[in-house]
């Protein structure tokens, strides 16, 4: 049985049962649409078979409606263009999570159609994107392949432009837009694994990247944060409040367990701080059988 959880400030979380997906799948990309309906794209089905289908559901529907995309979208990137259009880019080239593709397409929520668009300059998978303030789309990262350069997509001209080299090639990072048309690239994993703590800034005017900080916090290293797990955000603008971006991170503790924390980032001032300072409330010890998992 599928379910959604909704939150109201005066009522807390409410679990709402919804119909099962028409096709069992995991590692999907999802989006809340302009009319309150929800759509999921791609992922892979049992047997690790990549999917080229999407499904849409709205409260009151008794079943999900299935649509066929133009290409397979497992571990692809997804960026909202506006209230009605979503770009899907790249993904795995074969089943079992192997390889990369260059194709892109735009989903139109008005008529549930998919339009093929220009190819990425570099075949990519497990990368992330964001819509910049100037309405250009920035895509960063790759998995087991070249991630030395990011790409800018111009919706008006349907074209991609490679940037200068990033500071640290990575996959599954956070990409957060700034008001100066740039972006913050933070966290993630290396292109063949291993956690990355560094933060770098993207300058749209020069299409270049510069190192901002080696760790999430200046005086405290070891924080791990990425969008590898489904709890990771795909639309930074959906997690902005009063100009700040919110994300979760954790830090392994000695001898066992981890400390979890939710942080806020002001992408313009680049002030990063935890929301809760009573850290003992967010520690657990796996040797005692405790477990925890949360995200935004």
């Amino acid at each position: 049985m599928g379910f959604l959880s909704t939150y109201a400030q005066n009522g807390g979380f409410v679990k709402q049962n919804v119909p099962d997906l028409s096709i069992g799948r995991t590692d999907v990309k999802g989006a809340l649409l302009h009319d309150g309906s929800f759509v999921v794209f791609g992922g892979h089905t049992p047997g690790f078979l990549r999917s080229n289908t999407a499904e849409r559901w709205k409260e009151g529907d008794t079943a999900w409606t299935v649509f066929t995309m133009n290409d397979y979208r497992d571990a692809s990137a997804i960026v909202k263009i506006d209230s009605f259009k979503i770009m899907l880019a790249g993904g795995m080239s074969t089943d079992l999570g192997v390889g990369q593709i260059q194709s892109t397409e735009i989903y139109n929520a008005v008529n549930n159609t998919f339009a093929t668009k220009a190819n990425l300059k570099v075949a990519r998978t497990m990368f992330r994107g964001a819509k910049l303030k100037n309405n250009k789309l920035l895509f960063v990262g790759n998995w087991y392949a070249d991630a030395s350069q990011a790409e800018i997509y111009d919706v008006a001209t349907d074209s991609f432009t490679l940037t200068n080299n990033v500071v640290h090639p990575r996959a599954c990072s956070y990409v957060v837009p700034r008001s100066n048309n740039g972006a913050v690239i933070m966290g993630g994993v290396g292109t063949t694994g291993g956690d990355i703590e560094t933060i770098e800034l993207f300058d749209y005017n020069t299409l270049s990247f510069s190192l901002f900080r080696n760790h999430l916090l200046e005086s405290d290293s070891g924080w791990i944060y990425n969008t590898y797990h489904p709890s990771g955000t795909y639309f930074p603008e959906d997690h902005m409040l009063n100009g700040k971006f919110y994300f979760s991170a954790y830090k392994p503790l000695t001898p066992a367990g981890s400390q979890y924390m939710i942080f806020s980032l002001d992408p313009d001032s680049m002030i990063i701080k935890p929301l809760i300072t009573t850290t003992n409330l967010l520690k657990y010890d796996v040797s005692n059988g405790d477990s925890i998992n949360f995200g935004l």
Side-chain angles (χ1 to χ4, degrees):
M1 171 66 70
F3 69 89
L4 296 176
S5 291
T6 57
Y7 179 77
Q9 286 184 328
N10 58 352
F13 286 97
V14 178
K15 179 179 176 181
Q16 176 183 352
N17 290 325
V18 303
D20 290 343
L21 289 166
S22 299
I23 301 171
R25 62 184 81 217
T26 188
D27 286 346
V28 299
K29 299 296 187 294
L32 183 66
L33 301 178
H34 62 286
D35 64 348
S37 61
F38 193 73
V39 61
V40 296
F41 302 96
H44 54 264
T45 59
F48 217 132
L49 305 178
R50 61 193 181 127
S51 174
N52 67 340
T53 60
E55 302 191 37
R56 183 170 175 173
W57 173 86
K58 186 177 182 179
E59 187 173 7
D61 294 345
T62 58
W64 292 74
T65 302
V66 179
F67 307 98
T68 301
M69 299 183 291
N70 294 330
D71 207 341
Y72 293 85
R73 301 293 170 197
D74 189 10
S76 61
I78 176 173
V79 178
K80 282 183 180 177
I81 296 176
D82 55 34
S83 299
F84 304 96
K85 294 182 179 179
I86 297 173
M87 167 160 271
L88 304 163
M92 300 293 187
S93 60
T94 63
D95 297 326
L96 302 178
V98 177
Q100 306 82 19
I101 61 176
Q102 290 179 261
S103 69
T104 72
E105 55 192 291
I106 290 179
Y107 168 69
N108 189 326
V110 175
N111 50 18
N112 295 306
T113 58
F114 296 85
T116 298
K117 296 299 178 179
N119 281 347
L120 293 159
K121 295 289 186 180
V122 177
R124 301 176 188 266
T125 190
M126 291 180 68
F127 63 117
R128 297 293 180 256
K131 179 182 176 182
L132 303 181
K133 296 299 182 181
N134 59 5
N135 295 322
K136 303 295 193 297
L137 311 185
L138 173 65
F139 293 97
V140 182
N142 212 344
W143 179 246
Y144 269 83
D146 179 26
S148 60
Q149 294 172 284
E151 303 192 32
I152 292 287
Y153 178 70
D154 188 323
V155 179
T157 61
D158 184 30
S159 60
F160 284 91
T161 301
L162 285 172
T163 67
N164 293 306
N165 284 356
V166 300
V167 177
H168 291 130
R170 64 186 83 199
C172 303
S173 65
Y174 286 102
V175 183
V176 184
R178 307 181 74 193
S179 62
N180 62 1
N181 298 327
V184 183
I185 316 301
M186 48 192 286
V189 297
T191 55
T192 58
D195 299 303
I196 292 182
E197 297 184 47
T198 59
I199 301 172
E200 53 191 288
L201 302 180
F202 171 68
D203 185 326
Y204 179 80
N205 293 326
T206 60
L207 297 184
S208 62
F209 295 81
S210 60
L211 180 66
F212 172 74
R213 187 181 293 170
N214 284 313
H215 308 289
L216 178 61
L217 301 177
E218 284 184 303
S219 58
D220 189 8
S221 63
W223 287 98
I224 297 171
Y225 55 113
N226 58 63
T227 64
Y228 177 77
H229 298 287
S231 61
T233 177
Y234 301 113
F235 303 119
E237 60 269 25
D238 288 346
H239 295 264
M240 301 289 280
L241 182 64
N242 297 326
K244 296 180 180 179
F245 172 73
Y246 296 89
F247 62 99
S248 60
Y250 73 94
K251 183 178 182 180
L253 301 177
T254 302
S258 294
Q259 175 181 339
Y260 277 75
M261 193 77 70
I262 294 178
F263 290 85
S264 68
L265 160 71
D266 185 321
D268 290 332
S269 68
M270 289 306 297
I271 294 176
I272 302 171
K273 60 183 180 181
L275 297 187
I276 299 176
T277 56
T278 309
T279 56
N280 285 332
L281 296 176
L282 294 171
K283 294 181 180 179
Y284 73 94
D285 184 347
V286 293
S287 65
N288 294 328
D290 296 337
S291 64
I292 187 172
N293 187 5
F294 73 89
L296 295 177

